DNA sequence: GCCTCTTAATGAATGGCATTCATCAGGAAT
DNA sequence: ATTCCTGATGAATGCCATTCATTAAGAGGC
């Protein structure tokens, strides 16, 4: 007999940034828990305490919401990146830092990484995305380090730089896919060491050791003496 | 005034394998043209000259259809793989062959590769998939080559093999993403050369160049003797 | 404190899609 | 020719992204 009295919901108008932040936080959570395809706008709306239509006032569509959520995360990650990197000296150490940071991001936020790897990057509009620019900015440091090492004569100059960059980030990604799918774990430091070592050895110019150098010099000296004699 | 007379469609019962093949071919085409998310079962059904329900008699759901289509493609690719590989000698050449084949597959079937890279591999059920096993079989050859080279003393033995494998395939994938999105092209042979070179250098044990040194020293000694004779 | 007006917020409606299922009928077996 | 198994059908179900006409919050003017 008792009628269900519809709760007179208090409708409040929040400042734009607050609403956007609420929606993005809810979207972040739902995307991470369910993945992009299984996340529904109504779930996100409910968690943000709004109704579906409201989301579309601030975001063009589901995909833009994803791009914005990921973009926000990228910006947070990049915040202290340069500061920390500038405190590290030496090609090998700097390279290891980039690799280690990337691995740590995967370990800390596997769900977000999956969104980037298999949803965002595959889209035909990826290049127009802010995440594309942020990512380019992110990996630019790798190229800078490689260029510096080449200029210093530490690395050979005949390896295509972008290929080296892709081997690093692609290798990291491939190696962590099982973890990203929730199958087991990976050792952060060991993996960073192994990848750094692999890349370093592939690029470094091996200086001849002292003994070898000494023998070459002796042989050269002998030749010079002989030439001198021949001239005489 | 003229009634649209519904075309009395001839319903024919095809042998199971034929129906399955028709559906898979249609699915292949639609998946490649539209991508997984935008491919609709009704499109596939129409192209296979069946009705939606029929597809569900042979395939559990859209995802299984994808797995089967990709699995079929993998099997075709692997058919002549071992035959060709067995004709190639030398670690470097064999490694280059694997890399080159992988790059060629990407260049030849970019749409299918995208399906694998961003739809299939991300799924939590990927490990239970036949594609997983096929892929494992596919990359096993890489590990075999690396192990052989280590056993022969050509490669160092302190690099984690699976990491090397992942650097190769992850690197290839990362490097070709722009192409996979339809943005430009990549040079097949040059890329294969550069990756092979990168990997080879990262792993090869630089032989202490005794031989070369010895030749220099012997040449100097011979010259010395000759000049001695001339003086005499 | 009241009125006006802009526009944030609502929630119902639309259309598309994967998947299910009751029903039909081809064709092999008898 | 008849029966029966099961392949094939297509309508129905339910979910979901997206749209839109309507409501009312709350800022600004008086």
């Amino acid at each position: 007999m008792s009628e269900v009295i519809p709760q007179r919901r208090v409708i409040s108008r929040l400042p734009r940034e607050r609403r956007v932040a609420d929606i993005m936080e809810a979207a972040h959570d739902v995307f991470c828990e369910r993945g992009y395809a299984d996340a529904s706008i109504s779930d996100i709306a409910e968690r943000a305490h709004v109704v579906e239509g409201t989301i579309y006032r601030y975001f063009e569509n589901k995909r833009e919401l994803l791009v914005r959520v990921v973009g926000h995360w990228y910006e947070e990650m990049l915040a202290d990146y340069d500061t920390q990197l500038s405190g590290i000296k030496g090609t090998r150490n700097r390279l290891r830092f980039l690799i280690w940071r990337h691995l740590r991001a995967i370990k800390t936020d596997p769900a977000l990484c999956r969104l980037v790897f298999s949803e965002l990057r595959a889209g035909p509009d990826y290049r127009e995305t802010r995440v594309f620019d942020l990512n380019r900015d992110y990996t630019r440091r790798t190229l800078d380090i490689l260029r510096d090492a080449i200029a210093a004569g530490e690395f050979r100059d005949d390896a295509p730089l972008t290929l080296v960059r892709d081997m690093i980030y692609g290798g990291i990604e491939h190696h962590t896919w099982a973890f990203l799918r929730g199958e087991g774990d990976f050792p952060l430091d060991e993996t960073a060491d192994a990848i750094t070592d692999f890349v370093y050895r592939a690029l470094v110019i091996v200086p001849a050791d002292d003994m070898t150098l000494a023998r070459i010099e002796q042989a050269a000296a002998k030749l010079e003496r002989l030439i001198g004699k021949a001239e005489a």
Side-chain angles (χ1 to χ4, degrees), chain A:
Chain A
M1 289 296 118
S2 64
E3 284 287 303
V4 175
I5 300 160
Q7 283 295 329
R8 181 84 174 71
R9 179 207 283 258
V10 181
I11 295 166
S12 64
R13 297 185 168 194
L14 296 182
R16 183 185 178 86
E17 315 91 56
R18 177 66 194 281
R19 255 295 107 95
V20 169
D22 285 354
I23 294 171
M24 277 177 64
E25 195 185 323
H28 169 279
D29 294 350
V30 176
F31 281 147
C32 285
E33 282 170 27
R34 295 238 217 287
Y36 180 72
D38 290 340
S40 78
I41 293 288
S42 59
D43 279 350
I44 295 170
E46 191 180 17
R47 225 181 272 213
H49 307 295
V50 294
V51 112
E52 287 144 281
T54 303
I55 290 179
Y56 287 90
R57 171 166 302 279
Y58 298 104
F59 301 90
E60 200 180 318
N61 51 35
K62 195 178 168 187
R63 190 170 174 82
E64 198 212 319
L65 191 48
L66 174 69
V67 172
R68 295 275 295 275
V69 165
V70 171
H72 181 71
W73 173 61
Y74 257 76
E75 277 172 353
E76 272 183 346
M77 276 202 304
L78 288 176
D80 64 341
Y81 202 66
D82 280 320
T83 317
Q84 294 208 235
L85 183 59
S86 67
I88 297 171
K89 302 300 175 198
T91 301
R92 197 188 180 102
N93 292 332
R94 288 165 74 78
L95 226 35
R96 188 185 185 281
F97 175 73
L98 298 189
I99 292 165
W100 183 86
R101 275 285 293 239
H102 199 65
L103 284 164
R104 197 193 55 169
I106 290 171
K107 183 159 262 191
T108 311
D109 294 301
L112 281 166
C113 286
R114 282 178 58 157
L115 291 173
V116 176
F117 293 163
S118 60
E119 289 297 336
L120 263 188
R121 202 181 37 198
D125 57 336
Y126 175 59
R127 265 194 114 88
E128 271 61 62
T129 286
R130 194 162 54 102
V131 175
F132 175 80
D133 294 326
L134 286 165
N135 203 59
R136 165 167 292 219
D137 193 48
Y138 176 59
T139 57
R140 181 181 48 74
R141 275 91 166 173
T142 314
L143 299 179
D144 288 344
I145 292 174
L146 295 174
R147 267 192 286 264
D148 288 348
I150 289 169
E154 189 177 2
F155 280 174
R156 61 198 174 90
D157 64 358
D158 57 345
L161 292 193
T162 60
L163 180 64
V164 175
R165 177 200 60 196
D166 293 329
M167 297 279 298
I168 294 173
Y169 291 104
I172 290 174
E173 189 179 320
H174 235 248
H175 199 64
T176 53
W177 259 114
F179 169 75
L180 286 171
R181 280 194 307 269
E183 305 156 4
D185 201 358
F186 67 90
L188 183 51
D189 288 299
E190 277 175 46
T191 309
D193 285 336
I195 294 175
T196 307
D197 197 52
F198 186 86
V199 174
Y200 195 83
R201 284 184 189 246
L203 295 174
V204 75
I205 295 168
V206 277
D209 61 74
D210 284 347
M211 180 81 85
T212 308
L213 262 184
R215 284 168 68 187
I216 290 173
E217 273 170 21
Q218 278 170 22
K222 181 179 274 186
L223 288 170
E224 278 164 5
R225 272 202 315 277
L226 291 170
I227 288 169
K229 270 194 192 173
E231 282 176 341

